């Protein structure tokens, strides 16, 4: 039998340009250890560090992390305070490291609900890292896909009412240009950890043709090998965009 082997010179397929992750399972990670949920969130922040570094080294251009949803405001006040505290710490302590590694930071979401000091830290971090090109790290904070779509629709309506736009000019490009992600390509690969298989209001418009990978791994345990596994699964998919199989 003749075994087919790939030629040694075969170049590996390029990584997906944009990977988006629903970082889920911090609470269950903590619960399994008899720890408070905050302990899971803290360990989750370490997984963020590992994953960002791995994404940069793998040559991924955009990494979007779902850190806090519009609906997460419904959690107990103490947990929201803890999560905002961790976000503050991350922005204060990690941005110089991101900058050193050529990473650009972007935040998407409803910033009006974030505190003034966090908004100031975001402005500072985005400005400092704006010219970096190794990787764009997009943090989705106070983010909801439906809210984003409604907001885009409202902006289009306002422009039409003001006479700056004709309804006939509203197409997919015009709509996408009014989303938080206007200058960011759509995600190619969307990963959700913790075994849940739902989208939870994440990138509803942008994920139209994303490949989904679900893993049982809880977010605090996530790292380079899991990202590599997901990318490997992605490479095994045939993306059709509605066309006939090739
Ligand atoms: C993800 O972990 C972090 C956020 C949603 C902010 P969870 O806090 O949702 O953890 P589980 O799903 O309860 O395990
Ligand atoms: C989605 O996780 C939001 C983030 C990871 C930030 P949730 O834990 O909030 O989602 P549900 O409630 O299980 O759908
Ligand atoms: Mg959860």
């Amino acid at each position: 039998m003749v075994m087919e082997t790939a030629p040694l010179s075969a170049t590996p397929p390029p990584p997906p340009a944009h990977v988006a992750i629903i970082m889920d399972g911090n609470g269950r990670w903590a619960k399994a250890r008899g720890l408070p949920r905050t302990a899971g969130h803290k360990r989750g922040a370490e997984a963020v560090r590992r994953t960002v570094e791995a994404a940069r080294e793998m040559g991924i251009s955009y990494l979007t992390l779902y850190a806090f949803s519009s609906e997460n405001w419904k959690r107990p006040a103490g947990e929201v305070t803890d999560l905002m505290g961790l976000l503050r710490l991350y922005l204060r302590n990690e941005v110089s490291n991101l900058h050193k590694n050529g990473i650009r930071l972007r935040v998407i979401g409803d910033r009006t609900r974030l505190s003034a000091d966090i908004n100031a830290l975001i402005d500072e971090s985005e400005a400092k890292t704006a010219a970096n090109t190794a990787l764009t790290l997009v943090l989705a904070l106070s983010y909801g896909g439906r809210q984003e779509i409604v907001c885009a629709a409202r902006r289009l309506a306002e422009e039409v009412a003001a006479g700056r736009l004709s309804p006939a000019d509203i197409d997919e490009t015009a709509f996408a240009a009014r989303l938080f992600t206007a200058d960011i390509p759509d995600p190619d690969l969307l990963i959700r950890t913790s075994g849940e298989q739902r989208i939870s209001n994440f990138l509803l418009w942008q994920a139209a043709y994303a490949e989904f990978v679900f893993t049982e791994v809880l977010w605090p345990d996530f790292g380079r090998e899991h990202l590599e596994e997901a990318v490997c699964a992605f490479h095994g998919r045939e993306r059709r965009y509605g066309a006939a199989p090739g």
Side-chain angles (χ1 to χ4, degrees):
M1 194 173 95
V2 179
M3 298 283 287
E4 268 192 44
T5 50
L8 284 175
S9 60
T11 44
H18 185 174
V19 177
I21 309 183
I22 302 176
M23 311 184 288
D24 200 11
N26 295 353
R28 277 161 284 166
W29 182 94
K31 193 174 181 205
R33 288 159 181 79
L35 298 169
R37 291 176 62 83
T38 312
H41 296 317
K42 272 199 193 128
R43 290 296 285 265
E46 289 169 31
V48 168
R49 244 169 253 136
R50 288 195 295 273
T51 305
V52 169
E53 195 183 320
R56 185 182 61 87
E57 288 174 13
M58 289 162 71
I60 289 163
S61 301
Y62 292 84
L63 176 69
T64 298
L65 300 178
Y66 201 8
F68 193 89
S69 75
S70 317
E71 289 69 35
N72 288 149
W73 290 111
K74 292 186 293 201
R75 293 194 180 190
E79 183 171 352
V80 170
T81 304
D82 288 344
L83 284 164
M84 290 300 144
L86 281 170
L87 173 60
R88 223 176 248 117
L89 275 183
Y90 185 82
L91 292 170
R92 282 204 193 116
N93 301 337
E94 284 300 313
V95 172
S96 55
N97 202 29
L98 296 179
H99 188 47
K100 212 168 60 200
N101 288 311
I103 299 169
R104 172 170 70 148
L105 182 76
R106 281 281 312 272
V107 169
I108 57 170
D110 179 5
R111 295 208 14 203
T112 64
R113 298 183 76 180
L114 300 172
S115 68
D117 75 302
I118 288 182
N119 269 305
L121 281 168
I122 293 170
D123 285 339
E124 218 176 280
S125 311
E126 286 186 335
K128 182 175 176 158
T129 61
N132 293 340
T133 55
L135 165 73
T136 297
L137 169 62
V138 184
L139 283 186
L141 297 174
S142 188
Y143 174 88
R146 283 188 169 181
Q147 292 85 334
E148 180 186 37
I149 288 169
V150 167
C151 194
R154 189 183 307 124
R155 284 174 66 184
L156 288 166
E158 282 165 359
E159 288 172 48
V160 168
R164 291 197 303 271
L165 187 74
S166 150
D169 292 331
I170 299 177
D171 56 11
E172 287 185 22
T173 307
F175 203 98
R178 272 101 184 151
L179 297 170
F180 292 129
T181 51
D183 49 351
I184 298 171
D186 287 343
D188 301 291
L189 167 62
L190 196 153
I191 302 168
R192 184 169 187 149
T193 59
S194 88
E196 307 295 351
Q197 301 192 358
R198 54 177 171 266
I199 195 149
S200 298
N201 208 12
F202 189 43
L203 302 179
L204 296 182
W205 170 283
Q206 299 86 342
Y209 273 99
E211 294 294 330
F212 284 62
V213 169
F214 299 105
T215 168
E216 294 294 320
V217 175
L218 300 173
W219 178 251
D221 292 326
F222 195 87
R224 177 184 307 262
E225 69 273 31
H226 305 108
L227 183 60
E228 284 172 354
E229 268 167 35
V231 166
C232 191
F234 170 83
H235 282 137
R237 306 276 176 89
E238 186 197 356
R239 300 182 85 186
R240 294 187 190 153
Y241 302 99

